[in-house]
Amino acid sequence: MIDLILWSLVLLVVQLVTPSVLALMGGQVSVAYLLSARDEAAQTSGSVLRTQRAAANLLETLPAFLVLAVLSILNGTDVIAFAQAWLVLRVIYLGLYLAGTAYVRSLVWAGALGCLIGMALPLL
C-alpha cells in the first residue's frame, strides 16, 4: 500500500508539472516566465487548460485517497485492489482529459469514486 501512496504522489507531481511543460513546448510561455513570479496569466491553449483542470480534479480526490490508504494500513484492512484500480483509473482519466473525451472521462471518474467508496467501506 505504501508503494501506491508513493505512486499517487508521483502522479500528482506529473499532473502539476504537465501544464507548464505543454505550455513551454507549445511556445506559449518561456522559461523566464516559468521562473518568474507570474503576476500576469499567460495565454495558453486548450490542452494546457485541460491539464490544469485535471490536476485540480486530482487535488480534490487525492486527500481522500491518502487518508483511506493510511487508515487501511493502520487497521490492517486489505483494500489494495481498490487502491490499484483508483490509481490506474486516475492515470486513464488524465489521458482522457488531455484527449478532450468528455463522456468516457466522466465514467472513469465515477469508477475512481467507486474505488474510494470501496476503500472506505471495510473501514466502517
Side-chain angles (χ1 to χ4, degrees), residues 1 4-9 58 60-72 79-80 82-87 90 112 115-116 119:
M1 181 62 77
L4 292 173
I5 292 172
L6 294 174
W7 279 114
S8 68
L9 296 175
L58 178 65
E60 293 170 358
T61 61
L62 184 62
F65 172 79
L66 294 174
V67 167
L68 291 170
V70 170
L71 286 175
S72 71
V79 294
I80 192 106
F82 285 116
Q84 288 172 335
W86 180 85
L87 188 57
R90 290 307 305 194
C115 289
L116 290 177
M119 289 175 70

Side-chain angles (χ1 to χ4, degrees), residues 76-118:
T77 308
D78 184 24
V79 294
I80 192 106
F82 285 116
Q84 288 172 335
W86 180 85
L87 188 57
V88 168
L89 288 171
R90 290 307 305 194
V91 170
I92 293 170
Y93 182 82
L94 174 61
L96 292 172
Y97 220 128
L98 278 170
T101 309
Y103 299 111
V104 177
R105 182 187 78 223
S106 296
L107 291 174
V108 170
W109 178 87
L113 180 62
C115 289
L116 290 177
I117 293 169

Side-chain angles (χ1 to χ4, degrees), residues 11-12 14-17 19 48-63 86 90 93-94 97 109:
L11 177 63
L12 174 65
V14 167
Q15 284 200 237
L16 291 176
V17 171
V48 173
L49 295 174
R50 283 194 300 271
T51 56
Q52 288 173 337
R53 289 192 299 270
N57 185 275
L58 178 65
L59 287 172
E60 293 170 358
T61 61
L62 184 62
W86 180 85
R90 290 307 305 194
Y93 182 82
L94 174 61
Y97 220 128
W109 178 87

Side-chain angles (χ1 to χ4, degrees), residues 30-40:
S30 64
V31 174
Y33 173 80
L34 292 176
L35 297 176
S36 70
R38 300 184 201 180
D39 292 330
E40 297 179 18

